Amino acid sequence: MKYSYKTLKQILPFLTSEEQVANDIIMHIAEVEWIELEWENLKNVYVGKVLECEKHPDSEKLNICKVEILWEQKQIVCWASNVRAGIKVPVAIIWAKLKEDFTIEKCKIRWETSEWMICSEDELWLVTERQAWIMILDDGAKLGISMREYLEKSDAIIEIDNKWINHRPDMFSHIGLARELCAINWQDVDLHYEKNDFSNAKNIGIENKITNVVQRYIWLSLSGVWNIESKEDIKAVIKAAWNNSKWLLVDISNYSLYLYWQPTHCFDADKINWNIIIRYAKNDEEFIALDNKTYKLTSEDIVITDQEKVLALGWVIWWALSAVSNTTKNIIVEWAWFNPKTVRKTGRRHWIRTDSLNVFEKDVPLEFPIYWVSLIYRKLKEYFPNLKIEWYSDVYPVKQEVKKVPFDLNFVNNLIWANYTEKESLEILERLWIKKEGNELIVPFWRKDLNYKADIAEEIARIYWFDKVTTTIPRINLWAIIQDNIYKLKNDVRDFFVDRGFYDLYNYSFVNETLMKKVLGNTEELIPLKNSLSEDMTHMKWSLIPNLILSIEKNIKQEKNLRLFEFEKVFAFKSWKVIENYAFSGVITNDEKVVYYDLQKVISDLFKKLAIDNFMFTTPKTYPSFAHKGRTASIIVRWQEVGFVWEVNPSVVNNFWLETKIWFFEIDADKLKSLVYNKVKAHEVSTFQENNFDLSFVVSKDKAGKDIQISIAKTDPKIIQKVELFDIYENEEKLPWKRSLTFKIYIQSLDETLWDEVKNNLIKSIIERVGKIGGVLR
């Protein structure tokens, strides 16, 4: 939510700065994302006066000026021909940042010192074309004020991320924040609540066929209006929400939304036939909306209709042909309360997202409409003195109940470990419009988040200020917690890959049909979302790989050789049950070499760190759709398949418009967690020296290196301590359909020193044994 400081200042004159407002919000309400100053480049540009102006002694085109800005005078060298003594001009002082790469500094121009700069309009970004003269201000301009203030461009936009206030829908408005600031600063201010009496207006019948989901509906018909430009107070509120001002009859609805938290809509009354009906839509009933799209409705959508057509898809979007225009003279202002769940589902179903929907799905209070109706009537009356009420209709069969919460001061003090008196606590609550009645508290209708005694305690503490609450030791019994292996595994895996130059990613848990088609898959076996966030997030991901490839696509331009990994949950649907488990995946991109063996080495090192003592890589029986069939290996730990290493299918790479080879691995962490951190058996340490030697064997490409490794180790288990595959050589010219595997063999005896004769006999035995399974010494 974005707030205009200028608008807040108009409502609350006691405010001193946007920084003060931001600090109050942070300390008592929520986190402020940022403050964006309007025309921030004018922050250090002030109204100055040229006291003296003389020609530069070493230049015909330059002038030496003495300029005053209220508190001091400085010398400025100026190039403009229209500079002269006595005029007022915009002056940028030292360190003023007019552009990203243009900061004012003290300098010398033709041996004369110039400390500030007199600016032209284009240097202040007021115009785009280069100007030949400096900007000359009105004689009545106040000396020393900021140019932001002089140009009336001094607003600041304060933004709170919506996630911090989703439980506080009343905060999605300027009035909502103003109420909070009044309470925080202990100020009594008129919050401009309007409450007109429309009971004398003519009433027109509105038929509500679904009172269970539409509990209130208001129409106010006004005549004597026309579409003109809005004034600055309305524009400021709309601009704060990053929307553009259009015309008054459109802006007034947005003004009500952002100022009062009340979505409204203005119809052109002359385009509507009467007998208004609120009902469910008919299946396949068509509706042309303001975005010029035609929507096919369902029997679950709420619509507002007249005798002939659908006027609105409640409360999501409205009929295009009923919109106000330059010829509009009579309007109908609409407000309604629709069931938030129904409205949200309608928006999801038709892929429509609007600001009014965003507010309505958070449950707008039923009691608020009379205030916004009065607000709009008063604002329009300022523009059109002859404004006339034609009729007013308020369909409100069941009133909003008054919410009451028990008042228990002992509970409050015990919960937050404070010692408030009843007088102190009630004074704070009254600042929040919470009144005590007997032993209960009457909660204002806009605070639907206050339901329990603990909520009241939090309100008292945050207004009083959390920093004033005494820090105490928790009064709970602490005992040892046995943590699941998965958490230790997650931390160790992340540390391992980060240490090896991988970037730790955290992608969304969703995929969509388009992404699945790119990886040669489909969504048939994936878990669909009932209320998906967007068209890009329709199903739960069953693998980390698709989103990692998407990350490569987004980042490959910045870094060609990427090393990424992710450790998160994946989701599957088996035997009519949703199964979720942890997995971790990594990727390396490289055009210059085959990195399969690098990945295999990385995984081997990881397994050694995790104390996994029995693992191997072998040819898989099945493989994912996005894997290269001939370049895939299965990861086996204690005879269980826990994952894969593979090159991504070139067709998948082409689908993402990538020009690189991509190598992945993916491991099921839930399977692995019971196989890690094994106890290491103690072995007797030999007192005799260790020796090692290398042997290279040429084998066919379909021969697994693990088979050769096992065969070597079994030649003489008493003296062969370890066998490592450390090099693989492939060359189609020299070794067609074959490859060379080089092993390092470590030998050591517990009983004696191994002489050369023993070593040579062992080598002969190894060569003979490996030869029986197809290996030839290179």
Side-chain angles (χ1 to χ4, degrees):
M1 178 63 192
K2 301 177 180 69
Y3 305 92
S4 162
Y5 174 74
K6 184 184 289 186
T7 300
L8 291 171
K9 179 72 173 176
Q10 290 173 352
I11 301 171
L12 308 175
F14 65 82
L15 298 180
T16 57
S17 69
E18 56 267 20
E19 288 83 4
Q20 175 221 339
V21 173
N23 185 68
D24 286 344
I25 294 171
I26 292 169
M27 291 294 105
H28 299 273
I29 306 172
E31 182 178 329
V32 173
E33 292 294 307
W34 64 64
I35 301 174
E36 181 179 347
L37 298 179
E38 183 183 27
W39 291 90
E40 190 171 6
N41 64 310
L42 304 182
K43 186 177 180 181
N44 288 313
V45 182
Y46 300 90
V47 174
K49 184 176 182 179
V50 180
L51 302 178
E52 299 175 6
C53 182
E54 299 176 353
K55 281 292 180 183
H56 193 291
D58 196 45
S59 174
E60 296 180 358
K61 295 183 179 181
L62 297 178
N63 302 284
I64 300 176
C65 306
K66 181 183 286 187
V67 179
E68 178 187 11
I69 300 183
L70 196 61
W71 64 89
E72 59 181 326
Q73 299 175 4
K74 296 287 184 180
Q75 178 175 291
I76 300 177
V77 178
C78 180
W79 52 269
S81 59
N82 64 331
V83 66
R84 61 186 183 275
I87 62 173
K88 290 183 177 178
V89 292
V91 179
I93 65 172
I94 290 179
W95 306 124
K97 194 171 186 178
L98 302 182
K99 298 179 184 178
E100 191 62 36
D101 57 350
F102 184 15
T103 302
I104 304 302
E105 297 180 5
K106 182 178 179 180
C107 64
K108 284 197 173 185
I109 303 177
R110 289 292 183 97
W111 301 284
E112 292 291 339
T113 300
S114 183
E115 299 200 46
W116 296 336
M117 187 177 89
I118 303 174
C119 303
S120 61
E121 290 183 82
D122 65 290
E123 289 167 337
L124 299 179
W125 285 80
L126 299 176
V127 296
T128 55
E129 296 181 358
R130 181 65 175 143
Q131 302 294 302
W133 305 278
I134 57 169
M135 182 180 182
I136 298 178
L137 309 179
D138 296 336
D139 291 339
K142 186 177 179 181
L143 192 64
I145 65 170
S146 166
M147 282 296 292
R148 292 178 68 229
E149 184 178 349
Y150 173 79
L151 295 169
E152 296 183 350
K153 299 181 182 295
S154 57
D155 201 5
I157 308 303
I158 302 169
E159 180 172 7
I160 301 176
D161 194 312
N162 289 357
K163 66 176 177 287
W164 300 112
I165 53 173
N166 269 332
H167 67 296
R168 290 285 308 275
D170 60 300
M171 286 290 295
F172 283 81
S173 67
H174 284 73
I175 288 294
L177 179 57
R179 281 194 296 261
E180 293 290 310
L181 294 173
C182 281
I184 292 166
N185 291 281
W186 293 79
Q187 296 287 334
D188 292 315
V189 178
D190 179 10
L191 292 178
H192 303 291
Y193 286 143
E194 303 285 337
K195 193 172 183 180
N196 286 24
D197 183 5
F198 296 102
S199 59
N200 294 327
K202 180 182 175 183
N203 196 332
I204 186 171
I206 294 177
E207 184 181 359
N208 184 0
K209 293 185 175 182
I210 45 176
T211 54
N212 60 322
V213 291
V214 182
Q215 296 183 14
R216 192 170 189 179
Y217 191 80
I218 295 176
W219 271 33
L220 173 66
S221 179
L222 301 171
S223 61
V225 301
W226 59 93
N227 233 350
I228 60 176
E229 186 177 354
S230 303
K231 294 179 182 177
E232 284 301 319
D233 60 335
I234 292 179
K235 287 182 178 180
V237 173
I238 294 171
K239 188 176 180 181
W242 287 11
N243 282 331
N244 295 322
S245 172
K246 296 178 176 66
W247 297 95
L248 176 63
L249 299 182
V250 177
D251 291 347
I252 197 71
S253 296
N254 290 328
Y255 179 70
S256 170
L257 173 62
Y258 302 124
L259 182 73
Y260 252 178
W261 174 43
Q262 291 300 305
T264 62
H265 180 68
C266 289
F267 292 103
D268 188 323
D270 298 323
K271 297 177 182 178
I272 294 176
N273 295 318
W274 302 110
N275 292 339
I276 305 303
I277 301 172
I278 307 167
R279 60 173 172 83
Y280 281 118
K282 302 168 186 176
N283 282 325
D284 296 327
E285 188 171 11
E286 292 191 346
F287 166 69
I288 303 173
L290 286 171
D291 58 3
N292 294 319
K293 292 181 180 178
T294 300
Y295 294 94
K296 275 195 174 183
L297 308 181
T298 73
S299 59
E300 296 180 5
D301 297 324
I302 301 172
V303 293
I304 313 299
T305 69
D306 62 11
Q307 297 177 26
E308 302 173 347
K309 56 196 171 292
V310 175
L311 300 177
L313 178 58
W315 183 266
V316 180
I317 200 166
W318 290 264
W319 182 47
L321 300 181
S322 67
V324 294
S325 64
N326 292 335
T327 61
T328 298
K329 302 297 179 185
N330 306 294
I331 63 170
I332 297 170
V333 188
E334 175 201 37
W335 185 90
W337 185 97
F338 293 169
N339 183 285
K341 293 180 181 178
T342 305
V343 174
R344 182 179 178 86
K345 287 179 179 179
T346 296
R348 296 284 186 211
R349 191 178 302 116
H350 299 289
W351 297 106
I352 303 172
R353 193 73 191 165
T354 60
D355 286 346
S356 62
L357 172 59
N358 183 46
V359 171
F360 251 104
E361 67 185 12
K362 294 176 174 62
D363 196 359
V364 176
L366 285 163
E367 286 295 322
F368 230 156
I370 190 61
Y371 296 103
W372 75 256
V373 171
S374 301
L375 168 74
I376 288 182
Y377 177 73
R378 176 177 65 81
K379 294 301 292 186
L380 291 177
K381 193 78 173 174
E382 293 175 5
Y383 287 84
F384 313 114
N386 297 323
L387 184 71
K388 182 181 177 183
I389 300 174
E390 295 295 332
W391 52 262
Y392 172 78
S393 183
D394 184 358
V395 181
Y396 189 17
V398 181
K399 308 299 181 186
Q400 179 178 333
E401 294 182 0
V402 176
K403 185 185 291 186
K404 297 181 180 180
V405 178
F407 178 63
D408 187 341
L409 186 59
N410 290 330
F411 175 86
V412 171
N413 285 330
N414 288 333
L415 182 65
I416 59 181
W417 201 245
N419 191 27
Y420 299 117
T421 64
E422 183 170 338
K423 181 181 177 182
E424 288 174 332
S425 59
L426 291 178
E427 282 179 351
I428 292 173
L429 293 173
E430 285 177 3
R431 307 303 307 175
L432 296 166
W433 287 268
I434 301 171
K435 308 294 184 182
K436 185 172 183 286
E437 192 175 277
N439 292 324
E440 294 181 313
L441 298 172
I442 308 301
V443 177
F445 61 82
W446 59 81
R447 290 301 302 273
K448 292 195 172 187
D449 59 306
L450 301 182
N451 300 295
Y452 308 104
K453 293 187 289 185
D455 297 331
I456 299 300
E458 181 183 1
E459 292 299 293
I460 294 172
R462 72 179 182 85
I463 298 301
Y464 182 74
W465 200 8
F466 288 117
D467 278 9
K468 294 182 180 178
V469 176
T470 305
T471 303
T472 59
I473 298 173
R475 293 173 294 165
I476 59 174
N477 295 323
L478 299 176
W479 56 87
I481 297 174
I482 300 174
Q483 196 174 56
D484 193 303
N485 242 10
I486 195 71
Y487 299 105
K488 186 175 187 323
L489 178 62
K490 183 189 290 189
N491 292 331
D492 287 346
V493 168
R494 282 179 166 160
D495 290 345
F496 175 86
F497 283 108
V498 169
D499 288 346
R500 280 153 182 77
F502 283 75
Y503 289 100
D504 186 359
L505 300 188
Y506 187 59
N507 287 314
Y508 284 117
S509 298
F510 316 107
V511 293
N512 59 61
E513 188 172 357
T514 303
L515 178 58
M516 290 306 301
K517 285 180 178 178
K518 282 187 172 184
V519 297
L520 308 181
N522 57 64
T523 58
E524 292 178 2
E525 297 181 1
L526 303 188
I527 303 167
L529 298 177
K530 287 185 177 180
N531 294 312
S532 56
L533 297 173
S534 72
E535 292 178 333
D536 297 330
M537 303 178 182
T538 57
H539 292 75
M540 301 302 293
K541 64 184 179 185
W542 94 111
S543 167
L544 303 175
I545 303 305
N547 281 331
L548 280 173
I549 298 177
L550 203 58
S551 298
I552 292 172
E553 182 186 35
K554 294 177 180 178
N555 293 279
I556 196 72
K557 291 181 181 178
Q558 284 73 37
E559 177 62 51
K560 289 187 177 181
N561 297 326
L562 287 169
R563 297 167 72 88
L564 312 175
F565 86 97
E566 183 177 12
F567 194 124
E568 267 308 321
K569 283 187 175 181
V570 293
F571 305 84
F573 195 63
K574 295 179 181 178
S575 303
W576 300 99
K577 290 183 179 180
V578 174
I579 308 298
E580 58 180 275
N581 63 278
Y582 279 101
F584 59 93
S585 298
V587 54
I588 297 177
T589 63
N590 198 308
D591 284 333
E592 299 177 0
K593 63 176 182 177
V594 176
V595 298
Y596 165 77
Y597 302 112
D598 293 338
L599 265 182
Q600 191 181 90
K601 179 68 165 59
V602 168
I603 294 168
S604 298
D605 290 344
L606 171 66
F607 284 176
K608 290 174 184 175
K609 178 179 179 178
L610 299 176
I612 297 174
D613 54 8
N614 188 351
F615 65 90
M616 63 180 178
F617 301 88
T618 186
T619 304
K621 295 178 181 179
T622 61
Y623 50 89
S625 61
F626 40 76
H628 192 304
K629 185 176 180 180
R631 296 183 177 178
T632 303
S634 178
I635 304 171
I636 306 296
V637 177
R638 292 193 186 177
W639 315 114
Q640 293 186 50
E641 186 178 74
V642 298
F644 297 92
V645 182
W646 67 83
E647 182 184 346
V648 173
N649 191 315
S651 298
V652 174
V653 176
N654 292 334
N655 289 341
F656 285 87
W657 300 95
L658 298 172
E659 297 178 356
T660 184
K661 289 184 178 180
I662 305 174
W663 297 86
F664 274 98
F665 70 84
E666 184 161 71
I667 296 174
D668 187 328
D670 275 27
K671 283 184 179 179
L672 196 66
K673 71 178 183 180
S674 61
L675 305 171
V676 296
Y677 310 121
N678 299 304
K679 293 180 179 178
V680 179
K681 294 181 179 178
H683 295 280
E684 184 179 350
V685 178
S686 175
T687 58
F688 300 96
Q689 70 268 31
E690 182 185 71
N691 200 346
N692 66 75
F693 55 89
D694 300 340
L695 292 177
S696 296
F697 294 95
V698 176
V699 297
S700 62
K701 284 191 175 181
D702 59 357
K703 192 67 176 177
K706 191 71 177 178
D707 294 341
I708 307 296
Q709 188 175 10
I710 292 172
S711 180
I712 295 172
K714 288 184 176 180
T715 304
D716 191 342
K718 289 186 177 181
I719 64 172
I720 297 178
Q721 302 300 317
K722 185 168 59 174
V723 179
E724 287 184 348
L725 172 64
F726 72 89
D727 186 60
I728 300 172
Y729 174 74
E730 293 182 356
N731 188 307
E732 287 300 323
E733 290 185 10
K734 297 179 179 180
L735 297 172
W737 304 103
K738 295 182 182 294
R739 58 181 176 176
S740 172
L741 307 179
T742 303
F743 298 89
K744 186 175 288 294
I745 301 152
Y746 297 86
I747 60 175
Q748 188 178 35
S749 172
L750 293 172
D751 305 318
E752 60 181 344
T753 299
L754 297 177
W755 301 100
D756 288 346
E757 183 180 353
V758 176
K759 177 179 175 182
N760 293 335
N761 291 334
L762 178 62
I763 292 174
K764 289 179 183 180
S765 300
I766 290 173
I767 294 171
E768 289 177 6
R769 188 178 181 88
V770 172
K772 291 177 181 179
I773 57 173
V776 178
L777 184 67
R778 185 180 173 190

